[in-house]
């Protein structure tokens, strides 16, 4: 028997169902959970619906970082609901202003070797600390909070072998952009990406976090680094030395794919509009004019990232044609920048300093001008996500962003000359005063959960029908993101707890008529291309279609988290046995799946009749998923079990 990879070691230690055989269903015990506010309200409504009095994990944290504009009572209502839930049900509560969930979790809570699931697709940031951390739908997180296992398909193992050392001004962001260039936004589906090799030693935990964070854009189940001396130094600097555990892959561990990257050959790069895998070098793209630069997000807002930015800006002025915004990733980062004077260099150069939150990354403000070019240190540049439909968003490193903000054109940071040392601090400024503790078990009964008028019940799901007979109410192409299905942004995000209202915006980017059509036709089936549902973990991209009566989505292939969210919502995800059959279907076609329920239950062949043709479909549902679909979703299933 061969040795184990890092991921396999953590899985083995947490396996409660199934066997560690590639492609087969497994259930994992979950040590920690996190939620953020845009997905958290649903997760806590679901947790409450299960009737469990207190979370059963080792640690659960509720963060407020997405909806912080508070233009109206809606966001504040959500915050209050989540705060009171956290108090009552035994969770830590990271107050608004304390920072972006993934950055704060890395700093204050992550522990090597532990499992973490979060209702946010960038939860794999924890892999930078050697955690096995997954993004999941809110319902999966609710189940884990209640002590239930997290179910996935045992992934393939990919090893990214790093050698050499990054050159001056080349950044961790450029490493993950290179992986995206090679593997594409579908390349990680069904895989765990594990980093190893001598080059790993040259990367600090926050740099590793940048890389594992954007593993989400590969569609990977998760990404993970070894836990080594650098991990120990980071934890010690956070005052958590005792939580260090060493973790590495066995010498003879076997991988399904090995990728070699010599860090010293990498150059500054950018993901061009409108996909994180549309990667070119800065040199190749050339000196295009830049209108806006945004620095921050859970990918690139660590202390060292922002010290580099401050150093580049010091004593200079932001180009007249550029608006530069900076959002430090956490209160800790913000405070340390202030204490050492670096914040003042940024302010003096003309940067617009934002609060520690997701902000522009999720379209909460700072939308660019019409057709504007925006350089962002973020992780997603999907069409329309910035809030400006025709904006041209490029994803870059903090170094590239900062220098370009000064020159007004896309600029290679290596033109700055030799780089000074930017060491990771040996002591971070630790003050957890913005993390509220849960009430004690005795006091919890006294805590009242406050539900404002913005918090509406979630839609009712239905057990799978005997036969499905309806219309094709939408046909879309490849790589449809959850930002297409259920857009975010300042206009809509405040209504994350209000599915009926959200439904008016479903697929707005692709087809504005969709919500009205779905209602008029009493629901139907959606036809999709490859990698349907990539991007965010938002279960709203399943709950809203459920509300609109969507019974099934038939696609060429699905992104992992979204497929799970569909099943959890009781919507049937099916794929074409022959992808060419996609071409035979059109909007308005009458679609019939006879004996759908029996076929799913008995694992029989599924046939779709359309336009006088019989089209073979495939269901990749495993035992438990089948029961969930038959029951009409995970909530019904959990209640029944
Ligand atoms: C995102 O980056 O798209 C989000 C907003 O953080 C989402 C979660 C959400 O939609 O609330 C994610 O990545 O899962
Ligand atoms: Fe927030 Fe953006 Fe990170 Fe999502 S990707 S968690 S919106 S900072």
């Amino acid at each position: 028997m061969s040795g184990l990879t890092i991921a396999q070691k953590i899985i083995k230690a947490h396996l409660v169902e199934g066997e560690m055989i590639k492609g087969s269903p497994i259930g994992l015990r979950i040590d920690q959970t996190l939620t953020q506010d845009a997905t958290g309200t649903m997760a806590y409504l679901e947790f409450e619906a299960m009737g469990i009095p207190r979370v059963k994990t080792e640690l659960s944290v509720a963060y407020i970082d997405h909806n912080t504009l508070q233009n109206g009572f809606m966001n504040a209502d959500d915050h209050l609901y989540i705060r009171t839930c956290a108090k009552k049900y035994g969770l830590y509560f990271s107050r608004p202003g304390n920072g972006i969930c993934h950055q704060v979790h890395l700093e204050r809570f992550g522990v090597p070797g532990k499992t973490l699931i979060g209702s946010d697709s960038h939860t794999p940031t924890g892999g930078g600390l050697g955690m096995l951390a997954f993004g999941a739908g809110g319902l999966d997180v609710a189940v884990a909070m209640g002590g239930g296992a997290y179910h996935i398909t045992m992934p393939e193992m990919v090893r990214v072998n790093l050698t050499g050392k990054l050159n001056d001004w080349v950044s961790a962001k450029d490493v993950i952009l290179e992986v995206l260039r090679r593997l594409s936004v579908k390349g990680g589906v069904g895989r765990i990406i594990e980093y190893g090799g001598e080059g790993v030693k040259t990367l600090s935990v926050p740099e590793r976090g940048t890389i594992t964070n954007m593993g989400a854009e590969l569609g990977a189940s998760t990404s993970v680094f070894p836990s080594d001396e650098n991990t120990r130094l980071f934890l010690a600097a956070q005052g958590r030395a005792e939580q260090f555990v060493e973790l590495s892959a066995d010498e003879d561990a076997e991988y399904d794919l090995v990728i070699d990257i010599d860090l010293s050959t990498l150059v500054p790069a950018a993901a061009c509009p409108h996909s994180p895998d549309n990667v070119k070098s800065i040199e190749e793209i050339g000196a295009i004019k830049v209108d806006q630069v945004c620095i921050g997000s859970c990918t690139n807002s660590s202390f060292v990232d922002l010290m580099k930015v401050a150093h580049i800006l010091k004593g200079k002025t932001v180009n007249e044609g550029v608006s530069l915004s900076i959002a430090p990733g956490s209160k800790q980062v913000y405070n340390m920048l202030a204490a050492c004077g670096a914040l003042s260099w940024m302010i003096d150069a003309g940067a617009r300093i934002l609060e520690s939150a997701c902000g522009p990354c999720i379209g909460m403000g700072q939308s660019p001008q019409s057709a504007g070019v925006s350089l962002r240190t973020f992780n997603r540049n999907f069409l329309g996500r910035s809030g400006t439909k025709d904006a041209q968003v490029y994803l870059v490193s903090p170094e590239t962003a900062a220098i370009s903000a000064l020159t007004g054109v896309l600029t290679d940071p290596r033109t700055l000359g030799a780089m000074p040392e930017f060491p990771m601090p040996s002591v971070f400024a630790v003050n957890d005063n913005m993390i509220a503790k849960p009430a004690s078990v005795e006091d919890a009964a006294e805590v009242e959960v406050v539900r404002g008028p913005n918090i509406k019940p979630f839609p009712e799901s239905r057990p799978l029908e005997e036969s499905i007979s309806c219309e094709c109410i939408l046909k879309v192409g490849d790589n449809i993101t959850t930002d297409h299905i259920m857009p975010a942004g300042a206009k809509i995000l405040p209504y994350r707890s209000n599915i009926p209202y959200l439904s008016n915006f479903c697929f707005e980017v692709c087809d504005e008529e969709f919500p009205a059509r779905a209602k008029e036709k009493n629901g139907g089936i959606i036809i999709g291309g490859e990698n349907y549902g990539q991007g965010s973990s938002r279960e709203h991209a399943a709950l809203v279609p459920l509300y609109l009566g969507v019974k099934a989505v038939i696609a060429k292939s699905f992104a992992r988290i979204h497929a799970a969210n569909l099943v959890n919502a009781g919507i049937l995800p099916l794929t074409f046995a022959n992808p060419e059959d996609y071409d035979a279907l059109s909007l308005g076609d009458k679609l019939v799946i006879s004996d759908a329920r029996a076929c799913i239950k008995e694992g029989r062949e599924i046939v779709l009749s359309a336009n006088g043709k019989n089209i073979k479909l495939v269901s990749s549902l495993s035992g438990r998923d089948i029961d969930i679909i038959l029951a009409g979703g995970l909530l019904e299933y959990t209640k029944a079990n």
Side-chain angles (χ1 to χ4, degrees):
M1 204 196 135
S2 59
L4 298 179
T5 69
I6 301 169
Q8 286 166 342
K9 287 184 185 182
I10 305 178
I11 291 174
K12 194 173 167 204
H14 291 84
L15 196 66
V16 290
E17 278 168 50
E19 278 181 75
M20 265 196 344
I21 300 168
K22 189 169 65 182
S24 64
I26 54 169
L28 297 176
R29 178 169 47 78
I30 295 302
D31 302 319
Q32 300 190 349
T33 66
L34 70 81
T35 59
Q36 39 91 337
D37 48 304
T39 54
T41 42
M42 279 296 150
Y44 298 110
L45 285 169
E46 290 155 346
F47 179 75
E48 288 195 294
M50 288 175 201
I52 297 167
R54 212 165 162 91
V55 296
K56 295 185 177 160
T57 46
E58 289 175 10
L59 173 94
S60 287
V61 191
Y63 292 90
I64 305 290
D65 53 2
H66 280 62
N67 289 329
T68 55
L69 273 189
Q70 300 180 231
N71 54 339
F73 63 94
M74 296 79 72
N75 296 159
D77 275 10
D78 287 355
H79 299 179
L80 182 59
Y81 170 67
I82 294 173
R83 172 155 69 83
T84 49
C85 278
K87 240 314 148 249
K88 190 174 182 74
Y89 302 125
L91 293 94
Y92 287 84
F93 177 73
S94 173
R95 296 165 59 183
N98 195 46
I100 306 174
C101 54
H102 310 304
Q103 174 68 25
V104 177
H105 208 85
L106 203 66
E107 292 169 356
R108 306 303 311 139
F109 294 114
V111 178
K114 298 274 179 190
T115 51
L116 162 71
I117 69 168
S119 60
D120 191 283
S121 62
H122 291 103
T123 305
T125 311
L129 258 180
M131 301 190 89
L132 201 67
F134 300 92
L139 201 39
D140 284 323
V141 176
V143 168
M145 288 192 293
Y150 178 52
H151 293 85
I152 54 167
T153 304
M154 181 67 199
E156 282 190 357
M157 299 290 141
V158 176
R159 158 109 168 187
V160 180
N161 217 17
L162 301 177
T163 53
K165 184 176 179 302
L166 292 171
N167 285 313
D168 283 1
W169 305 115
V170 184
S171 188
K173 182 64 153 278
D174 300 311
V175 179
I176 186 62
L177 289 177
E178 173 64 11
V179 181
L180 274 154
R181 188 184 70 78
R182 294 206 203 171
L183 287 182
S184 91
V185 290
K186 304 193 297 248
V189 177
R191 293 169 158 176
I192 291 182
I193 317 284
E194 205 167 293
Y195 292 83
E198 283 299 299
V200 161
K201 293 189 188 143
T202 67
L203 299 170
S204 67
V205 166
E207 289 177 301
R208 296 173 184 183
T210 296
I211 295 171
T212 55
N213 171 284
M214 262 189 104
E217 276 54 65
L218 294 164
S221 299
T222 188
S223 305
V224 64
F225 271 83
S227 174
D228 58 8
E229 180 57 13
N230 288 359
T231 321
R232 194 188 62 75
L233 288 174
F234 177 79
L235 286 171
Q238 291 287 353
R240 304 200 285 126
E242 74 289 353
Q243 293 176 337
F244 173 68
V245 186
E246 200 181 328
L247 203 61
S248 60
D250 290 332
E251 287 289 326
D252 56 345
E254 276 179 15
Y255 293 89
D256 299 280
L257 176 71
V258 178
I259 295 172
D260 291 303
I261 296 181
D262 177 354
L263 296 173
S264 65
T265 62
L266 296 184
V267 295
C272 302
H274 299 284
S275 184
D277 61 0
N278 188 10
V279 175
K280 298 197 175 94
S281 71
I282 302 295
E283 206 175 349
E284 246 178 294
I285 303 166
I288 52 169
K289 187 181 171 315
V290 172
D291 304 298
Q292 184 194 49
V293 175
C294 299
I295 297 176
S297 93
C298 57
T299 317
N300 274 126
S301 58
S302 69
F303 176 70
V304 172
D305 275 349
L306 296 192
M307 281 308 287
K308 290 183 185 165
V309 169
H311 170 88
I312 296 170
L313 296 179
K314 189 177 181 187
K316 309 271 171 35
T317 302
V318 173
N319 187 277
E320 206 178 322
V322 175
S323 164
L324 167 67
S325 73
I326 302 178
S330 66
K331 183 189 83 146
Q332 182 182 77
V333 171
Y334 217 145
N335 223 350
M336 288 176 69
L337 292 171
C340 74
L343 185 62
S344 126
W345 309 342
M346 295 171 170
I347 296 171
D348 201 45
R352 303 168 64 181
I353 312 291
L354 308 178
E355 68 175 317
S356 279
C358 301
C361 177
I362 191 59
M364 297 299 267
Q366 304 292 327
S367 298
Q369 70 199 48
S370 293
V373 170
S374 178
L375 303 189
R376 301 179 157 212
T377 65
F378 309 165
N379 47 37
R380 291 187 172 147
N381 58 348
F382 302 145
L383 184 69
R385 180 172 162 105
S386 67
T388 303
K389 207 169 168 181
D390 58 1
Q392 304 293 311
V393 178
Y394 293 76
L395 307 175
V396 297
S397 69
E399 295 87 333
T400 301
I403 178 71
S404 305
L406 296 179
T407 59
V409 293
L410 182 65
T411 306
D412 189 325
R414 289 174 302 173
T415 53
L416 287 161
M419 186 177 83
E421 284 278 313
F422 292 103
M424 195 193 71
S426 54
V427 181
F428 286 98
V430 173
N431 180 356
D432 292 331
N433 61 339
M434 289 296 278
I435 300 173
K437 292 197 179 69
S440 65
V441 178
E442 299 76 51
D443 295 345
E446 303 302 315
V447 179
E448 189 206 342
V449 172
V450 186
R451 263 168 269 265
N454 188 42
I455 299 173
K456 300 272 187 278
F458 39 81
E460 270 179 40
S461 55
R462 301 162 286 265
L464 182 62
E465 296 166 38
E466 296 302 336
S467 292
I468 300 175
S469 170
C470 57
E471 264 185 40
C472 166
I473 50 172
L474 185 73
K475 184 176 179 184
V476 289
D478 290 346
N479 291 323
I480 286 295
T481 74
T482 48
D483 277 282
H484 292 106
I485 306 171
M486 198 52 253
K491 201 171 64 176
I492 323 179
L493 211 53
Y495 296 94
R496 278 292 181 87
S497 317
N498 187 340
I499 300 289
Y501 182 82
L502 276 186
S503 72
N504 300 318
F505 303 92
C506 189
F507 277 109
E508 195 190 31
V509 196
C510 307
D511 180 350
E512 285 184 5
E513 308 297 322
F514 173 73
R517 186 184 319 122
K519 282 182 193 158
E520 186 204 317
K521 304 282 180 194
N522 226 337
I525 289 181
I526 295 175
I527 304 295
E530 297 281 5
N531 201 22
Y532 180 88
Q534 68 160 327
S536 153
S537 68
R538 62 189 71 149
E539 60 189 334
H540 304 75
L543 293 176
V544 169
L546 169 70
Y547 177 81
L548 290 172
V550 173
K551 299 174 199 298
V553 179
I554 306 174
K556 290 186 189 169
S557 64
F558 287 93
R560 179 187 72 92
I561 305 177
H562 186 60
N565 283 340
L566 287 174
V567 173
N568 288 352
I571 298 177
L572 194 55
L574 295 167
T575 51
F576 293 100
N578 304 307
E580 315 82 67
D581 286 332
Y582 167 90
D583 300 323
L585 300 173
S586 315
L587 183 67
D589 284 353
K590 181 99 178 79
L591 309 177
V592 178
I593 305 176
S594 306
D595 293 332
R597 192 175 171 90
C599 291
I600 293 290
K601 199 171 174 178
E602 293 154 23
R604 274 198 270 139
E605 192 176 72
I606 306 165
V607 180
L608 170 76
S609 326
N611 307 321
K613 236 185 120 177
N614 281 343
I615 294 175
K616 277 194 205 152
L617 301 177
V618 178
S619 154
S620 53
L621 301 181
S622 67
R624 176 178 176 268
D625 289 343
I626 294 174
D627 293 339
I628 293 174
I629 278 285
L630 295 177
L634 181 55
L635 203 52
E636 296 310 315
Y637 169 85
T638 308
K639 281 192 211 155
N641 290 273

